[in-house]
Amino acid sequence: MDISVAPKPPVSRSLVRSDATRRLLAFGALIVLVVAFSLASENFFTFNNIKGILLATSVNGILAIGVTFVIITGGIDLSIGTVMTFSSVMAGVIITNEGLPVPLGVAVGVGTGALCGLINGIVIARMKVPPFITTLGMMYIAKGLALIISELRPIYFNSAPVFRDIAMGSLLGEVVPEFDIPNAVLVMFGAALLAGFILTSTILGRYTFSLGSNEEATRLSGVNAALWKTAVYTVCGAFAGLGGVVMAARLNSAQPALGQGYELDAIAAVVIGGTSLSGGEGTIMGTIIGAFVMSVLVNGLRIMSVPQEWQTVVTGAILVGAVYMDIIRRRGS
């Protein structure tokens, strides 16, 4: 009896398309960038510059952590940038305008983001409006509300100096004075640990991957897909609210005109970190690495005096390359 055996793909092609290689690719790119910029400029690999990179990554990293959940479900959230700003304005209203305690202002800031995410989730999951349209609308709604509530003016936190310590204080620096890493960096890594736990060890994480892999099969298996999709967008909004609190603490003010464009940086970090735009795959670790790749790239190009416009061109080219690698891998699988 003649039994035909399907030919095995070349080893090199299998390596390129493997999940392990894809996840290591972002980390390898980060190492290459650090080594290259360190060799190109003696000002790059210094403690103060590394601290600056960590601080610059903190807000984008928190936003990217949240949107990772949404992209794993196969969705998208274009509103996280302006929701971040809206959340910072609401925190400013509570702390500065109303004179209420800082913890309450932080809770309102995070809650504002979660509420925006909840509305996104309900509209997408229950009313079946495409995520792109829904979150695009929320992007403008949040931007408008931030401008209306703040009356077009920044809200400063000078009356609550402890608020700024949320981002710019240094718990590590109090223990080891030479290692004064800003608290904003600790908040980002804390958020990453929490998100990683949710994604890998809870039922929400399991259904997040399930929705992205095959939403119809998930629904037919008896899972309330609309409920869990709404929960995913709510989580994303909560992380955007946290990002707003950290951003406001870092600037010591809520800037109502800020925010637009941050969503694209966050989505780029997620994609560069290996999360598939088609859904069903992704890790929080990869997202954090992707955020650092972007920060290192921008910082290194700036130190080398590369014009701002060319920094944007290079970032865009890397994003297209990351998406193309994902397409190649999916064709093979």
Side-chain angles (χ1 to χ4, degrees):
M1 182 172 62
D2 184 21
I3 299 176
S4 60
V5 178
K8 294 182 178 179
V11 175
S12 59
R13 187 181 302 174
S14 299
L15 285 174
V16 169
R17 291 172 175 172
S18 71
D19 288 346
T21 302
R22 180 174 58 89
R23 290 167 183 165
L24 287 173
L25 199 59
F27 184 68
L30 177 61
I31 297 299
V32 168
L33 286 175
V34 170
V35 172
F37 286 129
S38 298
L39 294 174
S41 172
E42 60 180 12
N43 296 323
F44 179 81
F45 203 74
T46 62
F47 179 76
N48 285 335
N49 192 51
I50 296 300
K51 189 169 70 173
I53 292 173
L54 288 169
L55 183 60
T57 309
S58 58
V59 172
N60 187 39
I62 293 171
L63 296 179
I65 288 168
V67 83
T68 299
F69 284 82
V70 170
I71 292 179
I72 289 176
T73 66
I76 198 74
D77 191 341
L78 300 177
S79 68
I80 52 173
T82 55
V83 167
M84 174 194 75
T85 301
F86 182 37
S87 300
S88 68
V89 167
M90 291 307 297
V93 168
I94 295 296
I95 296 172
T96 300
N97 294 2
E98 301 297 330
L100 295 173
V102 169
L104 181 60
V106 172
V108 169
V110 176
T112 300
L115 178 61
C116 293
L118 175 65
I119 295 171
N120 278 338
I122 291 174
V123 174
I124 292 168
R126 300 290 181 183
M127 300 170 64
K128 307 300 181 185
V129 178
F132 181 87
I133 301 300
T134 301
T135 58
L136 183 65
M138 179 57 76
M139 181 179 78
Y140 286 109
I141 291 171
K143 181 180 180 180
L145 289 176
L147 292 170
I148 292 170
I149 293 174
S150 67
E151 299 178 343
L152 308 179
R153 295 192 298 268
I155 301 175
Y156 293 94
F157 294 91
N158 295 331
S159 60
V162 68
F163 181 73
R164 190 168 188 268
D165 290 341
I166 293 175
M168 301 308 293
S170 179
L171 292 175
L172 287 177
E174 294 179 2
V175 179
V176 184
E178 296 79 11
F179 202 63
D180 57 338
I181 301 297
N183 290 337
V185 180
L186 303 184
V187 173
M188 180 189 69
F189 283 120
L193 289 174
L194 175 62
F197 174 78
I198 294 173
L199 204 55
T200 59
S201 306
T202 68
I203 189 170
L204 174 59
R206 288 197 294 275
Y207 286 146
T208 299
F209 284 104
S210 180
L211 288 169
S213 298
N214 193 327
E215 183 175 342
E216 186 62 23
T218 303
R219 184 180 295 106
L220 292 176
S221 65
V223 175
N224 189 338
L227 173 66
W228 291 107
K229 183 178 283 189
T230 302
V232 166
Y233 278 89
T234 303
V235 168
C236 178
F239 278 107
L242 178 62
V245 170
V246 173
M247 174 60 86
R250 180 183 169 190
L251 300 176
N252 199 33
S253 63
Q255 300 285 340
L258 200 67
Q260 205 161 354
Y262 279 72
E263 66 280 349
L264 300 181
D265 289 342
I267 292 170
V270 174
V271 174
I272 291 172
T275 297
S276 174
L277 283 173
S278 301
E281 299 174 3
T283 64
I284 297 299
M285 177 64 75
T287 293
I288 293 297
I289 293 173
F292 275 115
V293 166
M294 293 193 62
S295 295
V296 168
L297 184 65
V298 171
N299 181 276
L301 292 175
R302 190 175 299 155
I303 284 181
M304 295 177 66
S305 302
V306 175
Q308 174 74 35
E309 53 271 25
W310 280 106
Q311 296 175 25
T312 306
V313 170
V314 173
T315 303
I318 290 178
L319 177 62
V320 172
V323 174
Y324 183 62
M325 289 293 294
D326 181 57
I327 292 173
I328 291 177
R329 189 185 61 80
R330 283 191 167 265
R331 282 176 184 168
S333 63

